[in-house]
Amino acid sequence: MKEFAFHRAASVADLPSGATIIAGGTNLLDLMKLEVMAPEALVDITRLDLDRIEPDGDGLRIGALVRNSDLAAHPTIRRHYPVLSRALLAGASGQLRNMATTGGNLMQRTRCPYFYDRRMPCNKREPGAGCSAIGGVTRNHAILGASEHCIATYPGDMAVALRALDAVVEIDGPSPRRVPLADFHLLPGDTPHVETVLQPGEIITAVILPAPVGGQQRYRKVRDRASYAFALVSVAAIIGMDGGRISHAALAFGGVAHKPWRNPEIEKLLTGQEPSDALFAEAAEILLQPAQGHGENQFKIPLLRRTLNATLRDTTGMEAQA
Amino acid sequence: MTRHLRVDGPNHDNRLDHMAQGVIGQPLNRLEGPLKVTGRATYAAEARPANMAYGVLVQASVPAGKVLEIGDAPGALAVIQDKRMIRYAAQGLDEKGPTSGPDRIEYMGQSIALVVAETFEAARHAAQNIVVRYKPEAVPVDPESVTPELPPKKQSAAGDVDKAMREAAFTLDQVWRTPSQMSAAMEPHAAIAEWDGDSVTIRAALQMLSSNRKQMADALGIRESKLRLLSPYVGGGFGSKLGINAEAVAAAIAAKELGRPVMVAMTRQQVFDLAHRRSETRQRIRLACDAAGRLNGIGHEVLVSNLPGSEFTEPVAQATPFTYQAAHRQVVHAVARIHRGCAGSVRAPGEAVGVTVFECAMDELAELAGIDPVELRLKNIPDVEPTTERPFSSHKLAEALREGAERFGWSGRRAPGQRLEGEWFIGMGMAAAVRVNMLQESRAKVTLVQDGTAIVETDMTDIGTGTYTILGQLAAEMLGLPTDRVEVRLGDTQFPPASGSGGSFGAASSGNSVFLACEEIRQQIAKAMGCDERDLTLQDGMARAGNVAKSLSELVDGTITGEGHLQPGKTEKSHRQATWGSHWAEVAVNRWTGEVRVRRMMGVFACGRVLNEKTARSQCLGGMTFGIGIALTEAMEHDPRDGHAVSRDLAEYHIPSHADVPSLDVHFLPERDAYVGPLQAKGLGELGICGAGAAVLNAIHNACGARVRDLPATPDKIIAGLEP
Ligand SMILES: Cc1cc2nc3c(=O)[nH]c(=O)nc-3n(C[C@H](O)[C@H](O)[C@H](O)COP(=O)(O)OP(=O)(O)OC[C@H]3O[C@@H](n4cnc5c(N)ncnc54)[C@H](O)[C@@H]3O)c2cc1C
Ligand code: SF4
């Protein structure tokens, strides 16, 4: 670990410029030990007053320092946004969730093994160096929206549920603003080192949830062991039914792209229809039409198709009738 | 006085059954448990000698070649390159240090130098940023890309398997693959070296101190008498600490050079690079049977890998020659010389993957032949070892199969794909468990003190298995003392040399030496009592013979010391020794996603005398859990271009998590094996692994019809075998 200056911020206005934020530290410290990240200065934000969950119009404002465990257990979240509780509980381990914060979770970095290994070239770590994953071990890599410069995935679960919930990220800094989560994470393109729209000197202060939408909510995560593993693929689903037809559909996908993935076309296709295997297959077809595997991770294409199908059967009540 | 025994013949005395204290076999808690759960048991990296410096290994970033130059390390005390530094770990029981000369690189991640600094963080920073110039070489890293060697001693054949295959009613010919696997012990490898003149003491995380001392003395070029190793507590080894590794050698060299104590602890990533891996395997199995399911041909052809010149070959088919009967048999072990990390012993070398795959093959044959899998195994149990005609020292496979079937409810198993609960297919599978048994030379000293306490001393290790406890129980039983009156001292080469912990031989080997030492003490007490040792009863600090009773304090003047020395002998040759069992699993397979959940699992095991029900059971639970890992989750991925270990931490290398492991059920079959020493106990540490994964894989097939022959059976491989 490289030596660094350490500052504990007393207020959002007190953030030193150029310092890297540390919240729970569960991702940042691992990266610092390996010197994948080697900041000159850290600013600890955990004393800031950002750890509340409070009403925001008809929705909810979740402070950036709310711990993943607390958020998952919050009664309003469990009741009105169960997909978020489920996504959080599907992530990491109990110990990590006790430390991990809402802001830090959004900002967590990819789990591409070559990104973690300084012996190997990586465009994300060192722009222009090349991508070692291409032609290497690609089990956890992207099938959607990747580029020839980077095929890494955004690894988190919480943000996938937030994407389905149409959440908004509240940012403070020189020009405070609110950014829809949909626009917060970026595709790699030729700048894979730029992962979000957050600018230097900015901080996430909260995540805003719109009014609850009800419906059947699931977070379905398929992984290589039953717990404590990142998603191979995941589906966050919110499905409303009315008179045997799908009245509302919001579907976001994790483990498949550089950001939580969503495709409005499949939601449009599903809305107003009676659930059927044929309909779900058509939705999967649209979703996966642009998908491209990179060797080992080819399996994510059929796996995502199957997982989407299972999630839709479940949320539309087809599975229960079977 | 030393009581020596070479196990040259049977021992039917059942002596432990005639002792009075009644503690042997009891499910006692770990004697050292409170120290461990309160943090008072100091592991290798936890001592803090004054003025200690910290070293971190510098690792090669090319898969092969020569180190031309190593740059400076600003902020460090020293950069040490010494030709005595070793390239990879010693293998278990080696008597010499492994290949030295770190400037020659054999695999990516090999240790090439040591950076020493005042803090661990500074040393790590310097080691990670040091500039190294190499002359790299292109080398093969894929075992299937080279022409393998066929070491003559690893092949065997009888009859003509091809012919048996041609003439059989049912045949099976399939290929399985298992990936590299890691021990993944909780405690990373670490050592602290401290010199006093020309003598050095090294606290290290090691499993076998007496051979480790030989390896280390050879590596450092010093006499064994100048070297003391301390490993009182070891946070798991699973084979990865059988031999000395780069960190301990480097710590000793650096401590000498700097004239102060030096600690070298591996980071988790370094453990994955530098500890032995279990070789990946390719296993072709051929089976030929008649219409009634009697095997006539068995072929087990194995491809494994290791570095050029490395002697260890994963003994995949070790149990194949004696598990089942067949007139025509062939075993092939081919070794690909490639430049992935060094391969060595990992959790039940051989059987862990060999029996697992073989038992999957038996399941497939049973299905082809339309015979119940339990029945197929029962039909093919040999009366004597097929290849040599030697008798078995004991044989409990049939009993383990029958008892397991009964207890598990095997008769409720249905045809594949017939049980669907919601989204989940449910299925049952089983497998035989078998593991070779062996003893190793072992010595111990026991001292009985006038105050009615006793001290056991041996350089045996407790790697989390329960050695402290069982040796304490043994001495307590033999000397008639409550267990809290016995102190057990382990993990110090100043004590008599023991077998060490490895190959499942630790408990029986070191246990027998303690037994012998206690017999010696009993002899002396009997003499003081004026009776024959066989007529002596020791219980709760009292000695009784006939109607004479005396307290030990009356009989012991100061202390009585006995030493025990056990050596394996003729019974190793005259009899095939093995431990036996059966594994049973019920799994659920998601029909859409291919996720597998083990719902219940049971093992029935016969391992001779059980010394402590609780620690024995824990060994089996751990073994079965590793079986789940082999079947479902564990894979060390290697980069296809340079062979380096890609899964380098415990988030990426998936040992089973709690959620992967259901409640496991363990049953022991009562057994006394007369050919394995007076304790009549056999090895148990590894039996629970051998075949466990096959029960899971066979259950997957029974659930959903998919046969996964490329392990582990992760969701991607299961969905490939499911209906669309
Ligand atoms: C072994 C392991 C397994 C895991 N498994 C999963 C999993 O299955 N699913 C999953 O979703 N996650 C998983 N995680 C990731 C975990 O969720 C994240 O590490 C955690 O959420 C990060 O939160 P933190 O507060 O600790 O962030 P930190 O480590 O403190 O920071 C992470 C990053 O966010 C930045 N940051 C933090 N707070 C802010 C803020 N308010 N504004 C702007 N930038 C900020 C930091 O500068 C840093 O770059 C796992 C982590 C580990 C170590
Ligand atoms: S996929 Fe992205 S993160 Fe991984 S090596 Fe390539 S550039 Fe780096």
Side-chain angles (χ1 to χ4, degrees):
Chain A
M1 191 180 280
K2 200 173 97 181
E3 277 198 354
F4 55 88
F6 183 77
H7 178 77
R8 185 167 277 155
S11 70
V12 173
D14 174 42
L15 295 179
S17 68
T20 297
I21 289 171
I22 180 162
T26 58
N27 190 205
L28 183 59
L29 284 179
D30 280 354
L31 292 165
M32 285 174 66
K33 288 182 198 166
L34 296 167
E35 297 188 44
V36 172
M37 290 176 79
E40 299 285 337
L42 285 189
V43 54
D44 174 7
I45 60 166
T46 53
R47 303 293 161 92
L48 301 186
D49 183 23
L50 296 174
D51 60 353
R52 269 170 311 173
I53 301 174
E54 56 203 3
D56 183 273
D58 292 335
L60 220 51
R61 181 176 181 278
I62 302 161
L65 287 175
V66 173
R67 305 282 173 175
N68 287 179
S69 301
D70 295 333
L71 185 56
H74 194 276
T76 313
I77 301 291
R78 292 183 50 171
R79 187 127 172 235
H80 294 299
Y81 307 94
V83 67
L84 180 55
S85 267
R86 289 180 169 162
L88 283 160
L89 293 175
S93 65
Q95 295 93 325
L96 285 161
R97 293 193 297 267
N98 287 344
M99 286 303 288
T101 63
T102 307
N105 195 318
L106 281 182
M107 295 293 291
Q108 67 176 289
R109 312 214 47 199
T110 186
R111 292 281 159 173
C112 168
Y114 299 98
F115 172 67
Y116 272 74
D117 187 345
R118 290 207 321 163
R119 300 171 302 188
M120 308 301 291
C122 167
N123 286 326
K124 193 184 275 298
R125 213 177 46 236
E126 200 185 324
C131 170
S132 301
I134 296 172
V137 171
T138 59
R139 186 167 181 80
N140 72 15
H141 290 77
I143 51 169
L144 288 165
S147 76
E148 59 181 315
H149 302 285
C150 179
I151 58 170
T153 52
Y154 170 78
D157 294 301
M158 179 189 80
V160 181
L162 291 178
R163 182 92 162 87
L165 286 165
D166 291 314
V168 171
V169 183
E170 182 189 278
I171 296 172
D172 204 344
S175 43
R177 59 209 161 105
R178 286 186 168 192
V179 177
L181 189 86
D183 303 328
F184 183 76
H185 294 100
L186 300 170
L187 289 179
D190 56 5
T191 53
H193 59 290
V194 186
E195 292 167 348
T196 69
V197 298
L198 203 71
Q199 297 295 314
E202 291 188 324
I203 177 177
I204 300 170
T205 45
V207 169
I208 316 292
L209 296 181
V213 292
Q216 288 291 319
Q217 303 196 3
R218 298 281 188 280
Y219 186 72
R220 185 144 185 163
K221 175 177 177 182
V222 183
R223 44 188 149 174
D224 277 336
R225 62 181 162 190
S227 165
Y228 197 45
F230 289 91
L232 296 170
V233 304
S234 71
V235 180
I238 304 172
I239 299 291
M241 293 295 288
D242 189 7
R245 287 177 184 274
I246 299 170
S247 58
H248 171 80
L251 294 161
F253 304 91
V256 291
H258 204 253
K259 61 186 288 185
W261 193 259
R262 195 166 165 183
N263 184 336
E265 273 187 62
I266 58 175
E267 295 169 15
K268 207 156 59 190
L269 171 82
L270 294 169
T271 309
Q273 304 293 315
E274 273 181 34
S276 72
D277 283 328
L279 178 69
F280 302 159
E282 204 182 331
E285 193 59 36
I286 295 171
L287 174 70
L288 291 165
Q289 191 272 324
Q292 200 196 336
H294 305 272
E296 231 185 330
N297 74 345
Q298 197 74 37
F299 73 87
K300 286 190 177 183
I301 296 173
L303 186 60
L304 185 59
R305 179 168 53 74
R306 301 179 74 102
T307 308
L308 173 61
N309 180 45
T311 312
L312 289 173
R313 288 176 63 98
D314 177 22
T315 47
T316 56
M318 254 176 83
E319 189 66 42
Q321 284 160 24
Chain B
M1 281 283 284
T2 299
R3 183 162 296 209
H4 170 256
L5 176 75
R6 228 177 66 172
V7 186
D8 284 333
N11 178 322
H12 295 287
D13 291 350
N14 298 353
R15 286 230 70 191
L16 278 166
D17 294 323
H18 302 120
M19 295 293 150
Q21 193 65 25
V23 291
I24 204 65
Q26 294 299 311
L28 298 191
N29 288 335
R30 305 272 172 108
L31 297 183
E32 85 291 9
L35 293 178
K36 286 185 171 165
V37 296
T38 55
R40 285 175 293 159
T42 42
Y43 290 83
E46 294 182 327
R48 285 293 174 276
N51 197 30
M52 184 170 78
Y54 295 80
V56 170
L57 297 167
V58 180
Q59 296 177 269
S61 57
V62 297
K66 247 190 106 53
V67 176
L68 298 178
E69 190 189 345
I70 298 188
D72 296 333
L77 293 166
V79 178
I80 296 172
Q81 276 176 282
D82 188 299
K83 59 181 191 317
R84 291 171 297 170
M85 287 177 168
I86 58 176
R87 296 184 197 156
Y88 40 75
Q91 302 287 350
L93 295 170
D94 276 358
E95 308 232 318
K96 295 230 175 293
T99 306
S100 56
D103 56 337
R104 169 111 228 123
I105 298 160
E106 298 199 47
Y107 59 98
M108 183 140 153
Q110 179 191 310
S111 127
I112 53 175
L114 184 79
V115 173
V116 189
E118 292 292 351
T119 65
F120 172 73
E121 289 74 16
R124 189 176 188 186
H125 174 61
Q128 278 175 339
N129 290 286
I130 202 161
V131 178
V132 182
R133 274 205 314 122
Y134 303 98
K135 180 164 175 278
E137 275 167 35
V139 285
V141 296
D142 174 359
E144 302 196 28
S145 72
V146 297
T147 308
E149 289 174 8
L150 288 165
K153 280 195 187 144
K154 314 275 179 191
Q155 326 298 330
S156 67
D160 182 347
V161 177
D162 293 333
K163 182 163 171 280
M165 291 290 284
R166 282 195 304 273
E167 292 170 358
F170 299 101
T171 61
L172 173 101
D173 184 353
Q174 290 288 357
V175 174
W176 280 258
R177 282 182 175 77
T178 66
S180 291
Q181 295 161 351
M182 294 301 287
S183 295
M186 189 144 57
E187 179 200 25
H189 298 55
I192 297 175
E194 196 169 1
W195 289 82
D196 178 6
D198 62 353
S199 297
V200 62
T201 299
I202 307 178
R203 308 185 134 265
L206 292 167
Q207 295 181 224
M208 311 184 95
L209 293 193
S210 51
S211 51
N212 297 144
R213 182 155 76 155
K214 293 193 177 83
Q215 296 153 8
M216 186 64 83
D218 181 54
L220 294 174
I222 61 174
R223 288 217 306 277
E224 270 192 71
S225 57
K226 300 288 181 193
L227 171 64
R228 182 180 182 191
L229 292 178
L230 295 172
S231 288
Y233 303 105
V234 182
F238 312 115
S240 74
K241 296 166 184 165
L242 288 181
I244 60 165
N245 208 334
E247 88 292 351
V249 176
I253 292 169
K256 183 75 176 173
E257 198 162 314
L258 274 82
R260 56 192 282 199
V262 171
M263 175 205 290
V264 181
M266 288 194 201
T267 64
R268 180 62 66 189
Q269 288 79 11
Q270 289 180 327
V271 174
F272 279 92
D273 292 334
L274 294 169
H276 287 156
R277 65 187 173 94
R278 184 203 306 283
S279 169
E280 70 293 313
T281 73
R282 187 188 69 196
Q283 304 183 45
R284 178 190 184 201
I285 295 193
R286 288 183 296 163
L287 297 174
C289 71
D290 66 15
R294 274 183 300 267
L295 285 166
N296 191 35
I298 294 177
H300 197 166
E301 295 158 57
V302 175
L303 174 69
V304 296
S305 73
N306 211 340
L307 293 168
S310 236
E311 293 227 331
F312 181 86
T313 301
E314 177 79 16
V316 177
Q318 181 165 256
T320 306
F322 66 86
T323 309
Y324 299 112
Q325 182 69 58
H328 304 277
R329 21 198 345 127
Q330 186 184 17
V331 165
V332 175
H333 285 103
V335 190
R337 294 299 173 189
I338 57 162
H339 296 258
R340 295 177 169 184
C342 189
S345 296
V346 172
R347 315 180 206 143
E351 286 92 326
V353 284
V355 170
T356 296
V357 164
F358 199 93
E359 289 297 307
C360 288
M362 288 294 279
D363 198 69
E364 294 202 25
L365 183 69
E367 187 174 38
L368 289 169
I371 297 171
D372 182 90
V374 178
E375 213 39 53
L376 179 69
R377 286 158 174 92
L378 287 171
K379 275 177 194 267
N380 287 291
I381 295 176
D383 299 326
V384 292
E385 184 176 42
T387 37
T388 62
E389 314 251 302
R390 286 188 291 180
F392 290 99
S393 69
S394 80
H395 206 301
K396 288 281 188 180
L397 181 54
E399 197 178 328
L401 290 168
R402 291 201 177 96
E403 174 146 353
E406 178 67 33
R407 284 181 183 269
F408 195 68
W410 181 251
S411 56
R413 174 174 172 269
R414 300 202 217 143
Q418 297 300 301
R419 246 179 103 186
L420 189 64
E421 293 179 9
E423 293 184 356
W424 298 86
F425 289 112
I426 312 299
M428 285 187 200
M430 58 79 56
V434 50
R435 172 75 179 159
V436 295
N437 182 66
M438 51 198 148
L439 285 170
Q440 287 292 331
E441 183 168 8
S442 207
R443 292 172 189 263
K445 177 173 149 188
V446 178
T447 306
L448 179 64
V449 187
Q450 192 167 24
D451 64 2
T453 60
I455 300 162
V456 178
E457 291 169 321
T458 164
D459 83 359
M460 183 62 191
T461 50
D462 186 326
I463 57 173
T465 45
T467 316
Y468 279 106
T469 315
I470 57 151
L471 297 186
Q473 272 174 285
L474 266 169
E477 186 67 64
M478 294 294 289
L479 300 177
L481 299 173
T483 46
D484 61 3
R485 312 236 71 194
V486 181
E487 184 191 341
V488 183
R489 299 176 183 163
L490 304 178
D492 182 342
T493 49
Q494 291 195 336
F495 301 143
S499 61
S501 304
S504 294
F505 49 63
S509 304
S510 67
N512 271 309
S513 70
V514 170
F515 176 95
L516 293 168
C518 291
E519 271 198 325
E520 177 60 31
I521 294 175
R522 290 176 59 91
Q523 185 74 48
Q524 293 181 44
I525 297 172
K527 206 161 134 202
M529 286 285 283
C531 69
D532 192 281
E533 193 264 318
R534 300 258 160 173
D535 300 328
L536 179 70
T537 302
L538 296 179
Q539 190 179 13
D540 292 326
M542 296 294 294
R544 279 194 303 277
N547 48 15
V548 183
K550 287 186 181 170
S551 78
L552 287 180
S553 53
E554 287 174 70
L555 294 163
V556 181
D557 183 14
T559 59
I560 303 179
T561 298
E563 293 197 32
H565 178 197
L566 175 98
Q567 279 185 298
K570 289 185 185 144
T571 60
E572 296 235 308
K573 294 255 155 22
S574 64
H575 287 72
R576 158 51 64 192
Q577 298 178 16
T579 49
W580 311 95
S582 59
H583 290 288
W584 310 81
E586 182 180 294
V587 306
V589 181
N590 191 281
R591 63 184 290 207
W592 305 115
T593 60
E595 293 158 286
V596 177
R597 299 288 177 261
V598 181
R599 302 220 300 189
R600 62 193 180 102
M601 203 165 162
M602 187 186 86
V604 177
F605 303 111
C607 57
R609 182 190 300 278
V610 171
L611 300 171
N612 176 322
E613 264 267 347
K614 184 178 270 183
T615 55
R617 191 179 120 82
S618 294
Q619 288 292 293
C620 298
L621 298 179
M624 291 160 74
T625 301
F626 285 145
I628 294 175
I630 290 172
L632 298 181
T633 61
E634 288 188 54
M636 153 71 85
E637 300 222 51
H638 295 278
D639 185 271
R641 297 154 299 192
D642 58 28
H644 81 262
V646 174
S647 343
R648 294 164 82 221
D649 62 35
L650 295 173
E652 303 296 327
Y653 185 81
H654 291 152
I655 52 172
S657 69
H658 286 294
D660 292 291
V661 186
S663 85
L664 305 173
D665 213 0
V666 173
H667 298 280
F668 292 110
L669 297 179
E671 187 189 18
R672 303 280 181 261
D673 189 325
Y675 294 87
V676 296
L679 225 58
Q680 302 164 318
K682 292 191 282 194
L684 181 62
E686 296 164 314
L687 179 63
I689 307 174
C690 306
V696 174
L697 292 162
N698 295 338
I700 290 172
H701 172 71
N702 181 244
C704 69
R707 287 276 185 205
V708 178
R709 300 191 190 94
D710 181 9
L711 273 47
T714 42
D716 49 321
K717 296 178 194 146
I718 306 263
I719 59 170
L722 291 177
E723 301 274 299

